[in-house]
Structures are given as C-alpha cells and as structure tokens.
Amino acid sequence: MASNQKLRDLEWLLQAFETESLNLHNISFYLSQPVSGCYQETENSMAINISSDCLEYFSLILIVLGPAKTSLLSLRNLEFHCVEWELEQVQNLGELLDSNLNIKQLVFLRNRFSEDCLSEFSDILKRNGAIKEVMFCESHIGTVGAIFLASALKVNESLEELQIWEDSIGSRGAEELSKMIEANSMLKLLTIFDSSSITATPLISAVLARNRGMEVHVWSGESGDKSSKVVEFTPQNTTLRIYKIDVSGACRVACALGMNSTVSSFDMTGVRLKSRWAKEFRWVLEQNRSLKEVTLSKTCLKDKGIVYVAAGLFKNRHLERLHLDGNWFSGVGLEHLLCPLSRFSALQCQANITLRSVTFGGSRTKIGRSGFAAILHMLTTNETLTRLAIVDDQSMRPDDFFRIFKSLEKNASLRCLSLQGCKGVRGERLLQAIMETLQINPWIEDIDLARTPLHNTGKVDAIYHRLGQNGKPETEPENDLLKDMPLTEPKCCRVFFCGQEYAGKATLCNSISQNFSSPKLPYIEQVRTLVNPVEQAVRTVGMKIKTFKDEDTKISIWNLAGQHEFYSLHDLMFPGHGSASFFLIISSLFRKPSNREPKTPMEIEEDLQYWLRFIVSNSKRAVQQCMLPNVAVVLTHYDKVNQTSQNLEATVNSIQKLRDKFNGYVDFYPTVFTVDARSSASVSKLTHHIRKTSKTVLQRVPRVYQLCNDLIQILSDWRSENYNKPAMKWKEFAELCQVKVPPLRIQSRRDNKEKIETRRRAVATCLHHIGEVIYFDELGFLILDCEWFCGEVLSQLIKLEVRRQSSAENGFISRKELEKILRASLQSQIPGMGSKVFENLEANDLIKMMMKLELCYEQDPSDPNSLLLIPSILEEGRGKPQKWQLRGADCLYAGRHLQCDDSSHMFLTPGFFPRLQARFFPLSFTYRFMLLFRT
C-alpha cells in the first residue's frame, strides 16, 4: 500500500509539472533509493527519490521538465545524487537545459559518467549560454572528464564556477584545464580537490600567466593523508598562498608571476625552496610591478637563495614588505639582502627605496659579525624602511642590540622595531640605551620585545610609557617660534683682506699667523697644510681663509682673490646682516714684487678707491647696517722704500684725501700701516690692531643665537668624525641637531615639526651670516669649509670653459650638458689629486648653487628641463670689454649708460653686470639688442 502511495506521488509530480501547479527554484534527484517518491523541502525546493526499479521516472521527469512552462521559469538549480548516467538521459538533460535558460547551477554528487556521457555533457556546455556553476563531487570524471570539460569551457562564455571534489584528474587533466584557463576569461572560481598536489601547478600557473581574475582553491589528500590545501588565490584581496608544492612546480609558478598584475601578496610559508627557485624569483622581483608583499618564512632558503632575492631587490620598485624569518642563511646572505637598502657614500643613491618592511631571524639564521655589521650600516644610512623585525635570534649579544639602538638615534624613517624572542635583549645597559634612543628619536612608534629576557623580567613598562609620551602632542604655546631662543654676543669675527694682485696679501696673512701662533695663543688653521708638490703646481689660485683663536674669540682672515676673474665673486662673500667683520685694504708700494719700480701716488689712490667704493657699495645693499664698515689701510713692501722718498709723502697725502672723501661712509682707521709683509716683527702692530678691533666689533654688532656658538664646536666635531667632510646635507644637519642639540630636537612625533625646522633654519642662517657656514634654504645642504667651496668650487665655476666643451649658443645650455661639463672640469685628471668635489656635492647641487648665486639662470623657471643661461658665455665673451659689434654702415644700435647716483663713493660692482645682462637678455631671438655697460 505504501509503495502504491509513493508511485502515486511520482505520478502526482508528473501531473503537477504538466498542469504547472508548482513554482520551484531547486530540484534535487536522489537515485538508487529504497523507496521512490517526492516531497517539498521548502516552498520552492523539491526532493525526488527514485528507487532502482523506477528509473524510467527519472527520464520521464527530465522530459516533462524540458518543454518551456511558465511555472518552471523560476527553476534555478538542479542537483543529481547517485546517478549512473546513460547517454539518453544526458541528452534529455541537454534538452531541458536548452529549453530553460534560467537554470544556472548543476551539481553532481557521487554520479557516474561513461566517456560518451561526458562527451555529450561537453557538447551541452559548448552550446549553453546560461549555466553559471557546475560542481562534480566524488563523480570519478578523472582525466577524461577533465579533458572534455576543458574542451567545452574553451568555447563556453557563461560558466563562472567549476568545482571538482574528491576526484583525480591527473597531471594531463590539469594541463588541459590550464590550457582552458588561457582561453577562457569568464571563469571566476575554480576549486579542485585532487588526490595529488601536482595538479595545482599548471592550474595556478595559467591563472597567473594570463592575469585571470579567477579564484582558485586546490586541495589534496595524498596516500590517505588528511586533506590539506595546496594553493589558494583570492583575487578579491589579490593574495596568492601556496601551502604545498615541489621545487619544479614552484619554479613554474615563479615564471608565471613575472609579468603578472593580479597578485599583490605572495605567501609560500613552510614550502621547502632551493636556490634554483630563488634564481627564477629574482626575475620576478625585477619584472613584476604588482607584488607588494612577499612571505618566504620557513622555506629553508640558504645564502645562495638569499643572494638571488637580494639581486632582485636592486631593480625592484614596487615591493613593500618582505618576510624571510625561519630560514637557514648566515651573515653572508644577510649582508647581500641589506645591500640594496643601504648607501655606501654620501652621494650614492639607495638602490631600493620602496621596501618598507623586512623580517628575518630564527634559530637557524646565523647572523654573525658580518650580518650584524650590515644591520648597523643599513640602519645608519637607510632612509625608507619603516619596519624591521629580527625574530627568535640566538646569535647576537646584548652589546650588539645596544649598538643597534644607538644607531637608531639618527634614523628618522623607522617606525616599528620587533625583536620578538631574541635572547640577547637583556640587561640594564641595553634598557638605558633604549630609553636614551627614545629620548632622542621620537619617530619610533612601536618596539616589540615579546618573549625576550627584558620582557620576561618585567622591565619593559618604562619603554612603553616613553613610547606613549612620544606620541603625545606638544602643550607649549606657539606664539613666536624664535622668541625663546636666547641671544649672546658673537664669538667669531671676520677680517677681509682686500687688494689687487701682487699686493702681498697671502704673505701678510702668513706673517700674522706666526704672531698668533705663539705659545700663549693656540693656532687653528682650517686650510690644507700638507700639499703634494704635483698638486700644488696645478692648484688654482683663489680665496683663502685662515682661522686663529684669541682667548675666547675666533678670528678668521678671508683673503679675497686679487685676480680680476674673481671680482664677480667678491659680492657673494661680502658680510651682511650686521655680522662681525672689518676690512684691511692692502696695496703694494711697488708695481711688481720682482722689481723696484714704485707705484705713483695716483696708482695707489686708484687701488684704494676701488676697494673703498666696493665696500661702500655692498654696505649700502646690506639688509642690516648697524655700524659703518671699519677699514684700515696697509701698504706693503715698505722695506724697499727710501725713507726720504717724495712719493711716500704724496701717497700719505692722497690717503688723507680719501679719508676725508669717505668720511661718513666708512669708519676709517687713522693710522696707515706700512709693513714688510714677510716679517712677523714688522706686522706685530697690525696684529695687535686686528685683535683689538675684533673685540670692539664683536661688542657693537647685534647679538646672535646662543646655539650658534654651541653649534660651531658641534659642527667641528662632526667634521672630525666624518673624514673632514667640507659639506653636509640638510638631513645630516637635522640629524645632528636631533642628537646633539636638545633645543633643536623634536620631542614628540606629534610635535609641530615645522616649528623645529624653522628654528633649525634660523640657526643655520645665523651661522651663514657670521661666516661659519655657507647656507641657502632652498639648496638643502650646508658648506662647512668655506675656503674649500670658494677656492675649489666657485673659483672653478667662474672660469668654466663652456663654449669649448659644448655647442652652447647665445649663452644657453641644457642642464644635462652643463652637468657633464661640471664633472669634466672639476674632476682632477691626476689620480688621487684634485678637489674631490663630487665626493661631497652632486652636479645638480652645483647647478642649484650657481642659480642661487646668479651665476646662471633658468630660461623658463616653470619648466624643470628649461635651458640655462650662463652670462659668462654670451657672445661678448668673458672678461672682455663690452663694445659695439659693428657689422655695417647702416646698423643702428641703442644702448644705456648705467651709473650710481653717488658715483664718487659707489659703483656697480663687477658681479652686478652678469646678473643685469641675464635679466635683460631676451628669451626670443627675433630681435637682438645689446646693452652697453659702463661704470
């Protein structure tokens, strides 16, 4: 009776389909059941059980469902359980799918297909354009089924999900599916649960090589082992995770990753890798532009493999995070790994500037001495790394970690340092070093000391408290940024030696130095005292600076070059902003030191008047003139003069006239010093005058920031520690202030950084005004050795033979060509000789300096590739008198005569004309005008 009732249920089902009385979304077929029948699981879901003796109903139901019926238009999913398919039944299924395009999902659980059935099903997929998802579970489709599916999906453009569970499609089946992936761009999800993990390699390789946005999951359960995941790729978060793969498979995946653009995170944790794979992965790092994070933890990589990874980092411009903990490399590998993250000279660029986080360490990572040295060097020179993790290290000692934290005092980029599980993180000395580092470096946001002896003994609370303080905003008011910086009397005074060629300025300076270098007075000379004879023979004459110490006063003599080609640089060296300085105008009583032909009083008067007008002209343009320029006259070669000479008396009278003429313009010292510049005894009175006047001037000039006096010694110490470097980058100056100068230190990472920068710039500018450094805010560096810069850089720039080395026309030259000329001109042709300018400054730095000093100009300041105008290579020529260039009787010229209002006391200095010429020089060459400059 029950059986007849169930039969009626299936009959009822057929009748219901015919009369369209059911509205179903899901139908599940269960074959080989004990009893046939049907029941509704939900309002829209129907389960149909068919026993072995009622299999004809399965075909009847598929046939009845085939014709399009309104009630069945909502049917979406079909599930088939334990069906042993026959060809006719597959054909009936095909007719159903052809007639009802609303069916989107087919699920086959524990089904059986013959080869013919699989072929027919493949044909169905080829022509069907509606099905979105097909799943086979424990259906034993095998390699043949995979081949047929691959064939169908090469054509099908609608299927989005394919899942094959608890099956073995074999390596050939996987290869065919990989070919399908290369042709099919619609598939969104591929899930394979195979008995062998080897199937994962071709599948994931194809997905990566073709940049498919396809989610891939491959599982395996080899030799009866518990099932485990092999590969997982989720395009939603662009993450590729490989759990299990052999070396050849890993190499194939690496090859596919090279030009991939869909993976940003690549994780191979726990996969045993060899250097052969690392060699392929080097190419990935060089070519790939999408990878942001790579995790190679516990992959057993040794030194050779790490060297390949490091080589890839040199060209990589996109990777941000690299995890290499738990590997087997040593300090040699670590040395190579950190090389692209380090700089080995001040002018060298860091090879990799995109990597932000590096993790390494582990019980089998032997960092050693070479690795530790590489860590220190990287932390000292790196400017981009924000996170460094050294985990579970067993090799480094407490003193090593002490030095690591000390190196972090000057590191402004690192934000997080993790030392989890490092056995050497212990001891009060290290704890104190950490606290001192955090006092100096506010940029460190997190220090992870979990599982370290310092953490286990409960001594890290103070560290975390300090980290919290570094994150608090400042509470001080920001009224006047410079108001609270104390002022003091300056301790440095400059004496400018002015005079024409052969006046004896250098000889006089040497004699004065002998007076200053008596046992009671220490002598400091900042110039090079030991010069190779060959180098001395080819050295360019230029400005010289000598420095002496008189009690607590520092006196520096600036010997302005007397050669005419250097005159345009004198304006640049002129003191301004009320700096402590005075002038000695030095003139020889004879025309040439090699003969006894005396100068006439008129000639001496012209010499003195030139320099007096020069001093007055520059003093008038000084921003802050708190006192008249102090000037004294020195006449040299007095030992050759006949005491009864009438010329000498006439010279004294002409100097008196000049004193009267320039009264009110300069503070003229009443005594004229007549000396034999070679004799220290002869210049003793002049030396006394220099000492006395220096102290007087220092009392009268405006006060300077107290920090300037402190920084003078700090900068001197820095030069001693850095091979007497003549220049420093602004970043180095900021680091020095952060470490050595508490008032110029950023106390918290939430502080107003611009406020501290303003203080630092103000102090650097003050040092510039008092002559201790040369600094311009826009350039980003400070010149610490003024003589080196004036004598070996500026004096070379002013004499550049640009026209001989380039095709420059009308004074214009490209930036690249000028850089090439600068390198050729400023590098010595003698090995081991020369100024070594490019060990301290880059060619681009020199061009910026030339523009700042108005030695060259940009044609279009808004264009970074603008041509540069160098006035000294204009058609009129360097050092030649300006004149009309007549080319015909019918030529007409227009000119201007320029002069100062008070031309008897001032003039337009030689440095003025190139700048004016550049201002007036037309950028369009349609019309050419010439300016005639006359003083």
Side-chain angles (χ1 to χ4, degrees), residues 480-581:
D480 187 345
L481 298 180
L482 306 176
K483 187 176 181 180
D484 60 340
M485 293 177 63
L487 300 174
T488 187
E489 182 180 301
K491 302 295 184 184
C492 307
C493 185
R494 284 186 287 177
V495 186
F496 288 90
F497 278 20
C498 308
Q500 309 294 340
E501 291 181 276
Y502 308 116
K505 297 185 297 298
T507 305
L508 181 62
C509 186
N510 290 332
S511 297
I512 292 173
S513 71
Q514 294 178 16
N515 287 337
F516 270 96
S517 59
S518 64
K520 295 182 180 180
L521 296 170
Y523 166 61
I524 304 170
E525 185 170 350
Q526 294 180 335
V527 298
R528 190 165 22 180
T529 56
L530 296 177
V531 183
N532 184 290
V534 178
E535 187 177 3
Q536 190 175 26
V538 298
R539 252 182 105 186
T540 303
V541 176
M543 287 177 252
K544 305 292 180 184
I545 302 173
K546 285 193 175 184
T547 303
F548 314 96
K549 197 79 172 176
D550 182 18
E551 297 178 352
D552 61 342
T553 302
K554 179 181 176 183
I555 302 174
S556 58
I557 296 178
W558 290 53
N559 181 1
L560 300 182
Q563 292 83 7
H564 284 275
E565 60 264 31
F566 296 109
Y567 278 19
S568 61
L569 292 181
H570 291 163
D571 290 358
L572 309 176
M573 300 300 107
F574 195 88
H577 293 266
S579 66
S581 60

Side-chain angles (χ1 to χ4, degrees), residues 682-698:
S682 177
V683 301
S684 59
K685 291 183 179 180
L686 179 60
T687 304
H688 177 73
H689 169 75
I690 291 174
R691 289 173 177 162
K692 181 180 177 181
T693 306
S694 296
K695 294 184 182 297
T696 302
V697 169
L698 288 171

Side-chain angles (χ1 to χ4, degrees), residues 4 42 59 111 146 208 260 268 294 305 343 353 378 394 396 423 463 558 581 638 704 767 792 808 811 884-885 888 928:
N4 290 337
T42 65
S59 297
N111 285 228
L208 298 176
N260 176 270
M268 294 191 73
V294 171
R343 291 183 297 114
I353 59 173
M378 186 273 293
Q394 312 292 321
M396 288 195 292
K423 301 301 183 185
I463 296 174
W558 290 53
S581 60
Y638 181 69
V704 299
L767 288 171
E792 299 191 11
W884 303 114
Q885 299 194 5
R928 290 293 307 274

Side-chain angles (χ1 to χ4, degrees), residues 378-443:
M378 186 273 293
L379 290 175
T380 304
T381 61
N382 183 276
E383 299 177 350
T384 57
L385 202 68
T386 59
R387 184 180 185 277
L388 175 65
I390 307 174
V391 298
D392 297 315
D393 174 74
Q394 312 292 321
S395 59
M396 288 195 292
R397 304 184 295 265
D399 186 60
D400 298 333
F401 288 103
F402 173 87
R403 294 177 64 187
I404 285 176
F405 277 100
K406 281 298 179 183
S407 70
L408 288 177
E409 290 181 350
K410 297 181 180 180
N411 188 304
S413 64
L414 199 70
R415 297 293 180 267
C416 301
L417 176 65
S418 175
L419 301 175
Q420 281 194 32
C422 293
K423 301 301 183 185
V425 181
R426 64 178 186 271
E428 290 295 331
R429 181 169 179 261
L430 177 58
L431 178 62
Q432 183 64 28
I434 296 174
M435 296 300 295
E436 290 175 357
T437 298
L438 293 178
Q439 184 74 23
I440 294 171
N441 186 339
W443 310 118

Side-chain angles (χ1 to χ4, degrees), residues 472-484:
K472 292 181 180 179
E474 64 176 352
T475 57
E476 298 178 4
E478 295 186 16
N479 301 326
D480 187 345
L481 298 180
L482 306 176
K483 187 176 181 180
D484 60 340

